[in-house]
Amino acid sequence: MTKEATETQKMLSAYRRYLKLQRGASSNTLDAYLRDVQKLLGFLQGEDVAPVDVKLSHLQAFAAGLHDIGIGPRSQCRILSGVRSFYRFLLMDGYVEQDPTELLESPVLGEHLPEFLTPQEVDQLKDSIDLSKPEGHRNRAIIEVLFSCGLRVTELVTLRLSQLYTQEQYVRVMGKGQKERLVPISPLALKELGYWFMDRERLKIKPGEEDYVFLNRRGHHLTRTMILIMLKQQAEEAGLLKTISPHTLRHSFATALLEGGADLRVIQALLGHESIGTTEIYTHISQQSLRQAVLEHHPRNIKC
């Protein structure tokens, strides 16, 4: 390994420690950020440019290359965000004297409204499940917990029995950056969990997996991919034409709260969003509902 390659590896190791220890990044976030940086490093290697010698022109060429190979605007933005994070770290740690990403522009994104399900469509999804199958009650519980609590899929698959407070009707969720939050869980979700727990008691659970809420037939906790596949198959069986993922149910949770009149900052806390800006996208979904509420309830619109 050349001296330059060794220095680059040292920088990457230091950046990884920074993300993990100072930013509290999860393993998924760590991997995503490092993948974005590796894309840039591969490009720079072809240009024979060291990371510490990068100029704005190099980054603009890199961004143009992402477009040329067919990477969409949203993915480009994510990759460039990872590159900015890397160079902010290099500046902070003294590897570079100036941040070359300061004037780097990202592609303009059109407004993206996340897909969501109505409560009736969630019921349709659940009702399509065959309860004669061993995983039937488990899958109904998964759908109801995702919709009732707005969990991320990683939060769902790592959910443990010790995080359920059934009497108080709360779930203690370990979110991004190892940040905990308490989320209310509905009586219906608890009821579906109760049915699943009766089936769960008949499983031969692998050592070390005893505290996980959701398990497969072999007694192992589920993975994110398993949940995604299950939901896609179930959506087909339910005859739902929307593209459905675990995140769809999270969006559905937030949308239902907003349409029910919940304050945006309450939704922010329940979702575990650090920025209110992340939550504000839900206001676009329910714009018509909010307009109707204003027409009906604002004093300027009430006829004397």
Side-chain angles (χ1 to χ4, degrees):
M1 185 178 289
T2 64
K3 182 180 178 181
E4 184 180 300
T6 302
E7 287 300 313
T8 300
Q9 286 303 315
K10 285 181 180 178
M11 278 191 295
L12 284 175
S13 297
Y15 180 50
R16 185 183 187 92
R17 286 194 299 273
Y18 161 74
L19 290 174
K20 186 174 183 179
L21 300 177
Q22 294 192 39
R23 294 277 298 274
S26 67
S27 57
N28 290 330
T29 302
L30 272 174
D31 291 343
Y33 271 87
L34 290 171
R35 278 198 304 271
D36 293 338
V37 174
Q38 289 290 1
K39 289 182 177 68
L40 174 67
L41 295 180
F43 169 81
L44 294 177
Q45 188 174 14
E47 298 292 310
D48 198 24
V49 177
V52 294
D53 296 327
V54 162
K55 307 296 182 192
L56 177 61
S57 58
H58 298 127
L59 296 174
Q60 289 171 331
F62 171 67
L66 295 176
H67 172 78
D68 291 343
I69 62 175
I71 293 178
R74 194 163 296 277
S75 295
Q76 290 178 45
C77 284
R78 195 209 68 242
I79 293 168
L80 295 179
S81 175
V83 170
R84 289 188 186 93
S85 172
F86 179 58
Y87 275 97
R88 282 195 294 268
F89 161 75
L90 293 185
L91 179 66
M92 181 183 67
D93 234 40
Y95 287 99
V96 296
E97 294 182 359
Q98 190 172 355
D99 182 358
T101 69
E102 279 185 342
L103 299 178
L104 180 64
E105 295 182 355
S106 292
V108 177
L109 296 176
E111 185 180 89
H112 173 68
L113 302 184
E115 194 88 86
F116 71 96
L117 301 179
T118 65
Q120 293 75 23
E121 288 172 325
V122 174
D123 289 338
Q124 184 180 340
L125 188 66
K126 286 172 55 184
D127 291 343
S128 68
I129 293 173
D130 184 353
L131 293 180
S132 67
K133 293 182 178 179
E135 66 276 12
H137 282 299
R138 183 202 68 188
N139 290 350
R140 278 180 67 95
I142 286 171
I143 291 169
E144 193 56 49
V145 169
L146 284 171
F147 178 59
S148 294
C149 300
L151 303 188
R152 300 178 177 94
V153 64
T154 301
E155 295 168 349
L156 180 92
V157 297
T158 57
L159 188 64
R160 296 174 181 265
L161 297 173
S162 54
Q163 294 172 249
L164 295 177
Y165 300 90
T166 56
Q167 294 297 319
E168 297 83 358
Q169 296 189 356
Y170 274 92
V171 179
R172 180 167 51 85
V173 181
M174 187 66 71
K176 287 185 175 181
Q178 296 298 297
K179 292 182 179 178
E180 285 190 350
R181 67 185 190 279
L182 286 175
V183 179
I185 184 169
S186 70
L188 181 55
L190 289 171
K191 182 179 178 181
E192 296 290 2
L193 281 171
Y195 290 136
W196 154 238
F197 288 155
M198 287 189 282
D199 292 340
R200 187 182 181 280
E201 287 176 0
R202 294 192 285 270
L203 293 177
K204 185 177 180 181
I205 302 174
K206 298 294 182 182
E209 305 282 288
E210 297 89 351
D211 198 29
Y212 285 99
V213 172
F214 295 110
L215 304 168
N216 61 22
R217 296 184 196 182
R218 294 179 295 281
H220 286 283
H221 70 276
L222 302 180
T223 64
R224 291 152 43 111
T225 304
M226 290 175 185
I227 303 292
L228 178 63
I229 292 171
M230 181 274 286
L231 286 175
K232 285 186 176 297
Q233 290 177 343
Q234 209 57 56
E236 289 181 11
E237 292 183 24
L240 293 172
L241 300 179
K242 295 179 179 179
T243 303
I244 296 175
S245 70
H247 219 64
T248 310
L249 289 164
R250 181 167 157 87
H251 289 316
S252 306
F253 163 80
T255 304
L257 277 177
L258 186 67
E259 292 188 338
D263 183 88
L264 206 58
R265 293 200 177 274
V266 172
I267 301 173
Q268 176 191 5
L270 292 171
L271 290 173
H273 285 166
E274 287 191 12
S275 168
I276 190 69
T278 311
T279 313
E280 282 174 346
I281 190 167
Y282 297 108
T283 61
H284 299 298
I285 303 172
S286 301
Q287 191 172 17
Q288 184 60 38
S289 302
L290 293 174
R291 180 178 180 276
Q292 190 63 33
V294 170
L295 289 174
E296 291 180 0
H297 302 295
H298 194 281
R300 286 288 185 263
N301 294 298
I302 298 174
K303 293 182 179 179
C304 297

